């Protein structure tokens, strides 16, 4: 099990630790609901050093990425960040990643923790198969550290130690800057549905950035937040998690990733996805809320007329909304908001209703 | 830190308490240590009144944001009352696990079972070595 450079700090803070994607990660410090609400109202600090970073460099860097990414990156400018899926030949999702363009011939692909090795192997194979000699791949996961600062006060806190025009940084844009005097890449983005930033720096210096943010952020009410809150925050924001909503048997058109899939360019999986788009998908990922009491969890059956029609992919109690919410796959005829479905909880049928995503939308403040 | 376990009741290894109310009836709930481990109780599934249970049988469920935990009957018998207040306010379990956060009352069919449970002192020793 791998430990992030911040491991000792989590233990000192009394965090409950858990295994996630091969890493020992903090699941909570004081409590999921407390950390969740603090991130929504003030700011939360997250250790996300477990995520993978792969540098793609050289004159053919873009050419390689175009072959593996569902997203068309041809128009991506330096300083822009794009969400994309990587799909296999059948159109199934191998990973969902963010791609940063850091220079004319320099991209950084940020992967999920559990998929990082597979992604690296996939990119290397594509480079080989397509004979793209002018793209060099380097796995930087162990040398890059990453923390996310998220919440309405994130900009104020980070501005105190980050150089450059942070307030002017637009959503899904990044800047090469210095944070606490250390070289860093900062993007306005995140996985919580709040305004906030992702901060990348050398793994050996990320602890100093964490300490500075904790210190500077204290009067603002910044608190560390664990994977438990990260999960409830992203779910309220209707964001998907690889291994729950996505996997190799799920295509971008079955989940809300059609918008990052460009069938007008050539990439692995395009033919299968084009066919699926023409024929129409059979199932869709939907959001639901429970009408009766209870909490739906991953793997529970979705019911209609006494039959199992689908499965819950994520489910929890929403701290912001005060009710049970979840995501599930259902046949397309059940996809519309307002549709009544059932969820089987410990042998009992509990009533639920399809609702539009996201469950929670912040009031716009900065960045967009 | 968990509140000390009161001496007026017995305890199970699975962190339930059972308090003798006389008339061969007990009140049961989960310990303060258990609620502290769970944090943020957001749902309690209560058993039906009238349900017959056997000792150590799962008969209620307590859910936190992250986890689903079975609650086991500390003794055999019949469920005669449940704490309906927990349906609207499950967080009472966090606030007062040994008191207002009680879960059910059971009329014992084998009262001797209660004697076999741990004392407060034994339970305190148990949680010192219990895995977190």
């Amino acid at each position: 099990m791998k430990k992030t450079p911040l491991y000792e700090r989590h233990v000192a803070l009394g965090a409950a630790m858990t295994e996630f994607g091969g890493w020992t990660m903090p699941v909570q410090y004081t409590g999921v609901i407390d950390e969740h609400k603090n991130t929504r109202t003030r700011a939360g600090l997250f250790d996300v050093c477990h995520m993978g970073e792969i540098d793609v460099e050289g004159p053919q860097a873009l050419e390689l990425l175009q072959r593996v990414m569902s997203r068309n990156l041809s128009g991506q400018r330096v300083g822009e960040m794009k969400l994309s899926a990587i799909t296999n030949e059948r159109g199934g999702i191998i990973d969902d990643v963010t791609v940063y363009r850091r220079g004319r011939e320099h991209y950084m692909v940020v992967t999920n923790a559990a998929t990082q090795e597979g992604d690296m192997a996939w990119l290397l194979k594509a480079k080989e198969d397509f004979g793209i000699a002018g793209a060099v791949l380097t796995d930087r996961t162990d040398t890059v550290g990453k923390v996310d600062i998220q919440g309405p006060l994130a900009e104020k806190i980070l501005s105190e130690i980050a150089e450059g025009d942070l307030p002017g940084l637009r959503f899904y844009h990044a800047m090469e800057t210095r944070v606490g005097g250390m070289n860093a890449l900062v993007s306005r983005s995140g996985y919580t549905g709040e305004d906030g930033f992702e901060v990348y720096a050398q793994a050996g210096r990320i602890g100093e950035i964490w300490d500075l943010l904790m210190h500077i952020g204290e009067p603002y009410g910044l608190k560390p937040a664990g994977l438990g809150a990260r999960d409830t925050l992203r779910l309220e924001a209707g964001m998907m998690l690889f291994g729950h909503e996505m996997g190799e048997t799920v295509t971008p058109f079955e989940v809300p990733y059609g918008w990052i899939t460009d069938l007008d360019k050539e990439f692995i999986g395009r033919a299968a996805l084009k066919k699926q788009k023409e024929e129409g998908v059979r199932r869709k990922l939907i959001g639901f809320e429970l009408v009766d009491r209870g909490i739906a969890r991953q793997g529970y059956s979705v019911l209609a007329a006494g039959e199992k029609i689908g499965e819950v992919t994520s489910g929890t109690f929403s701290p912001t909304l005060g009710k049970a919410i979840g995501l599930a796959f259902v046949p397309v005829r059940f996809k519309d908001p307002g549709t009544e479905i059932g969820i089987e909880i410990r042998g009992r049928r509990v009533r639920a209703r399809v609702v539009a995503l996201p469950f929670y939308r912040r009031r716009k403040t900065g960045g967009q | 830190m968990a509140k000390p376990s009161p001496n007026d009741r017995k305890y199970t290894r699975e962190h339930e308490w059972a308090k003798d109310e006389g008339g061969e009836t007990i009140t049961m709930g989960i310990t303060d240590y258990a609620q502290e481990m769970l944090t943020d109780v957001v749902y309690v599934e209560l058993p039906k009144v009238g349900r017959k249970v056997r000792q150590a049988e799962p008969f209620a469920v307590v859910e936190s944001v992250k986890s689903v935990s079975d609650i086991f009957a500390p003794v055999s018998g019949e469920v005669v009352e449940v704490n309906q207040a927990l349906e609207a306010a499950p967080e009472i379990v966090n606030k007062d696990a040994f008191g207002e956060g009680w879960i059910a009352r059971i009329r014992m069919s084998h009262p001797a079972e209660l004697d076999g449970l741990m004392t407060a002192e034994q339970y305190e020793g148990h949680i010192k070595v219990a895995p977190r």
Side-chain angles (χ1 to χ4, degrees):
Chain A
M1 201 98 73
K2 291 166 83 174
K3 287 174 181 168
T4 79
L6 303 172
Y7 173 81
E8 301 297 338
R9 286 168 174 82
H10 305 317
V11 172
L13 286 162
M17 305 298 287
T18 190
E19 190 276 334
F20 183 81
W23 296 74
T24 303
M25 300 299 292
V27 62
Q28 63 175 27
Y29 302 86
T30 53
V32 175
I33 293 182
D34 180 47
E35 292 160 30
H36 177 111
K37 289 187 169 169
N38 195 63
T39 304
R40 289 259 182 266
T41 54
R42 289 180 280 272
L45 186 62
F46 299 81
D47 175 4
V48 275
C49 291
H50 63 308
M51 298 190 76
E53 290 87 10
I54 298 169
D55 272 342
V56 186
E57 292 167 284
Q60 288 181 292
L62 176 61
E63 194 177 328
L64 174 61
L65 290 174
Q66 287 287 64
R67 288 284 186 173
V68 296
M69 297 294 168
S70 65
R71 185 92 178 249
N72 191 342
L73 303 176
S74 63
Q76 184 177 13
R77 295 185 180 141
V78 174
E80 283 183 344
M81 167 192 182
K82 301 281 185 193
L83 181 67
S84 176
I86 301 176
T87 50
N88 61 26
E89 289 84 354
R90 297 180 308 280
I93 301 171
I94 289 174
D95 201 2
D96 69 328
V97 299
T98 51
V99 182
Y100 289 78
R101 187 167 186 192
R102 298 187 70 170
R104 210 170 67 81
E105 296 181 354
H106 180 193
Y107 293 81
M108 181 174 79
V109 178
V110 182
T111 76
N112 282 294
T115 46
Q116 164 242 331
E117 281 181 25
D119 289 359
M120 184 67 186
W122 186 261
L123 286 167
L124 284 168
K125 185 169 184 299
K127 173 179 147 70
E128 197 72 22
D129 290 352
F130 296 110
I132 304 174
V136 179
L137 294 162
T138 316
D139 190 336
R140 303 270 187 211
T141 305
D142 291 336
T143 53
V144 172
K146 176 174 187 267
V147 294
D148 288 2
I149 179 167
Q150 301 277 301
L153 300 182
E155 182 189 288
K156 279 197 180 118
I157 297 165
L158 186 57
S159 289
E160 291 206 19
I161 58 165
E163 291 172 17
D165 180 20
L166 208 58
L169 187 64
R170 283 181 294 153
F171 196 61
Y172 262 64
H173 283 68
M175 62 180 185
E176 310 283 343
T177 184
R178 290 166 78 80
V179 174
M182 286 160 272
N183 290 331
L185 174 73
V186 174
S187 63
R188 186 167 220 137
S189 52
Y191 195 50
T192 59
E194 292 304 322
D195 185 25
F197 302 87
E198 301 185 66
V199 180
Y200 301 83
Q202 272 183 50
R205 311 298 296 273
I206 201 73
E208 291 167 62
I209 292 180
W210 172 277
D211 293 343
L212 270 171
L213 287 170
M214 287 286 282
H215 179 70
I216 300 283
E218 200 185 350
Y220 293 95
L222 173 81
K223 283 185 190 175
L227 288 185
R230 188 169 164 85
D231 193 46
T232 51
L233 288 159
R234 69 94 192 167
L235 189 49
E236 283 184 352
M239 293 168 163
M240 300 180 288
L241 175 59
F242 191 85
H244 286 247
E245 285 71 42
M246 290 169 283
E248 295 198 17
T249 58
V250 177
T251 76
F253 294 121
E254 293 171 324
V255 297
Y257 271 170
W259 67 279
I260 55 168
T261 303
D262 184 354
L263 297 175
D264 292 333
K265 66 142 192 169
E266 199 52 59
F267 65 96
I268 301 168
R270 176 185 171 271
L273 290 168
K274 190 162 183 289
K275 185 164 176 281
Q276 187 187 45
K277 179 138 201 206
E278 283 160 6
E279 289 172 357
V281 296
R282 296 204 182 99
R283 60 173 185 171
K284 276 271 187 192
L285 188 77
I286 52 101
F288 66 86
E289 58 183 34
L290 292 197
V291 176
D292 294 326
R293 297 177 60 247
I295 298 171
R297 306 280 183 180
Q298 183 185 21
Y300 288 9
S301 295
V302 180
L303 310 170
E307 298 281 309
K308 177 177 176 177
I309 59 161
E311 207 161 271
V312 175
T313 54
S314 291
T316 192
F317 175 83
S318 159
T320 307
L321 306 172
K323 56 187 168 193
I325 59 170
L327 298 171
F329 280 111
V330 296
V332 284
R333 68 178 187 281
F334 294 96
K335 74 172 171 43
D336 294 325
T339 306
E340 305 217 338
I341 53 175
I343 308 286
E344 187 180 328
I345 300 179
R346 293 182 285 278
R348 202 161 46 90
R349 182 185 185 277
V350 169
R351 288 179 300 160
R353 180 190 305 127
V354 178
V355 296
L357 292 172
F359 300 100
Y360 164 87
R361 199 189 298 271
R362 75 180 168 101
R363 276 179 290 158
K364 296 285 159 66
T365 47
Q368 297 200 43
Chain B
M1 279 298 288
K3 291 173 194 154
S5 308
N7 275 317
D8 60 356
R9 61 197 77 189
K10 295 300 213 43
Y11 297 87
T12 71
R13 302 185 71 81
E14 284 74 35
H15 313 289
E16 291 95 10
W17 55 265
K19 182 167 183 269
D20 195 342
E21 305 284 6
E24 301 195 336
T25 299
I26 58 114
T27 301
M28 67 78 55
I30 65 169
T31 65
D32 200 63
Y33 174 83
Q35 74 74 21
E36 213 176 74
M37 291 299 102
L38 286 166
T39 69
D40 300 336
V41 172
V42 292
Y43 178 68
V44 180
E45 190 173 281
L46 297 164
K48 286 211 166 61
V49 171
R51 175 165 165 186
K52 302 271 202 305
V53 293
R54 295 237 299 270
Q55 187 177 38
E57 178 185 329
F59 80 128
V61 174
V62 172
E63 299 196 32
S64 69
V65 175
K66 288 294 290 176
S67 66
V68 183
S69 305
D70 280 325
I71 304 303
F72 302 93
V75 293
S76 306
E78 182 184 340
V79 177
V80 291
E81 197 181 343
V82 295
N83 187 0
Q84 235 113 39
L86 300 182
E87 293 198 343
E91 66 274 11
I92 299 171
V93 174
N94 292 120
K95 287 185 190 125
D96 191 8
F98 288 127
E100 294 293 309
W102 66 278
I103 292 170
R105 295 210 163 92
I106 298 172
R107 189 183 300 123
M108 295 184 282
S109 54
H110 301 83
E113 285 172 353
L114 189 61
D115 303 327
L117 300 182
M118 283 187 275
T119 63
E121 195 184 347
Q122 287 167 332
Y123 177 70
E124 293 281 332
H126 170 61
I127 58 179
K128 277 207 186 87
V129 295
R132 278 181 74 101

